[in-house]
Amino acid sequence: MLGYGTMGHAIERAAVLRGHEIVLRKDSSSSYDNLEMADVAIDFSIPAAAVVNITTALNAGIPVISGTTGWLEDYEIIVKQCEEVGGTFLYASNFSLGVNLFFGLNEYLAGLMAGFPEYRVRMKEIHHTRKLDAPSGTAITLARAIIDRSDYSSWALQATRPDEIPIEALRESDIPGTHVIRYESAVDSIEITHTANNREGFALGAVVAAEWIFGKKGIFTMKDVLGMAR
């Protein structure tokens, strides 16, 4: 485990229940000792630590699963590093099965709505107050899928242009994660929502992804894990 906060503990519980052993629990005050004993590294750290964690594991020949968000400006650097060492890497902004099905629903709906410009889209995400990045990585993934299928060119927390998708990011006590996509016209509205009831779905998905990726080489996503890749 690279990162041993709330999610790290939840992933550990899920991993142990599925018969796995945690050989390293890396936090800000500990070292990478025992990393070489791992079959897979799961990174759920913080944005400032993610790139170092991922690079260290890849250089050690360890496949990496990462669910840390807020560092994606360096994603292509990690992809290049992974390719250079012949490694294995999987990033997901969200490992929940339900969220990944929601991603598919969002893509389908965005394709439908692209032909009806009278509907304007807006998004809202709500998370616990300990979440460091805003908007969430999940919200960014959702927004990028809409952009790929529409005339929108970007997203913004403070959207001022008609080609920007406005995202409202709220931080409230102990909210695991809620994401809302709303298409609104002068006459009606269409809305889809995913609400996480707890963190267990995120944790289980990360462990399932780690099981799936073991023995593989390359760059993957949760669509590959769930058989949703086209």
Side-chain angles (χ1 to χ4, degrees):
M1 282 304 311
L2 304 178
Y4 198 52
T6 301
M7 274 304 302
H9 283 78
I11 292 169
E12 179 178 35
R13 290 192 296 270
V16 170
L17 284 173
R18 292 175 70 87
H20 302 297
E21 178 186 1
I22 308 300
V23 298
L24 169 62
R25 299 167 181 84
K26 174 75 172 71
D27 60 24
S28 60
S29 62
S30 60
S31 70
Y32 291 98
D33 289 349
N34 290 341
L35 177 62
E36 71 281 357
M37 296 175 58
D39 293 315
V40 180
I42 300 179
D43 169 64
F44 267 81
S45 54
I46 59 175
V51 172
V52 173
N53 283 339
I54 296 166
T55 300
T56 300
L58 289 175
N59 287 342
I62 310 297
V64 183
I65 303 291
S66 178
T68 306
T69 58
W71 64 273
L72 288 187
E73 65 274 9
D74 293 320
Y75 178 78
E76 293 303 326
I77 295 174
I78 292 298
V79 168
K80 182 179 179 181
Q81 174 72 12
C82 182
E83 291 171 344
E84 287 178 351
V85 300
T88 308
F89 179 63
L90 186 154
Y91 167 77
S93 59
N94 198 306
F95 282 92
S96 160
L97 171 61
V99 165
N100 281 277
L101 293 172
F102 190 65
F103 286 158
L105 178 61
N106 172 60
E107 292 171 4
Y108 181 73
L109 180 58
L112 289 178
M113 301 306 292
F116 300 92
E118 62 268 31
Y119 286 89
R120 305 298 299 168
V121 68
R122 62 176 51 251
M123 297 172 54
K124 177 168 67 174
E125 58 97 341
I126 311 170
H127 281 85
H128 51 85
T129 54
R130 298 179 303 281
K131 186 166 182 59
L132 299 179
D133 55 320
S136 67
T138 300
I140 293 172
T141 299
L142 291 163
R144 286 176 173 169
I146 297 170
I147 291 166
D148 288 344
R149 292 161 178 82
S150 69
D151 292 332
Y152 290 98
S153 64
S154 61
W155 58 266
L157 287 171
Q158 302 291 334
T160 58
R161 304 196 318 263
D163 64 334
E164 290 179 325
I165 299 174
I167 302 179
E168 181 181 9
L170 303 177
R171 297 293 173 260
E172 300 178 5
S173 178
D174 205 30
I175 302 295
T178 298
H179 293 85
V180 182
I181 300 167
R182 183 179 180 87
Y183 290 86
E184 189 164 2
S185 75
V187 296
D188 59 9
S189 301
I190 301 170
E191 183 175 291
I192 57 173
T193 302
H194 178 274
T195 302
N197 296 328
N198 54 54
R199 296 181 180 86
E200 303 311 311
F202 308 137
L204 177 59
V207 176
V208 169
E211 293 169 346
W212 180 89
I213 207 172
F214 180 65
K216 296 179 174 65
K217 295 291 184 183
I219 309 294
F220 301 100
T221 71
M222 278 298 286
K223 285 187 175 182
D224 297 300
V225 177
L226 299 175
M228 296 168 61
R230 294 177 181 176

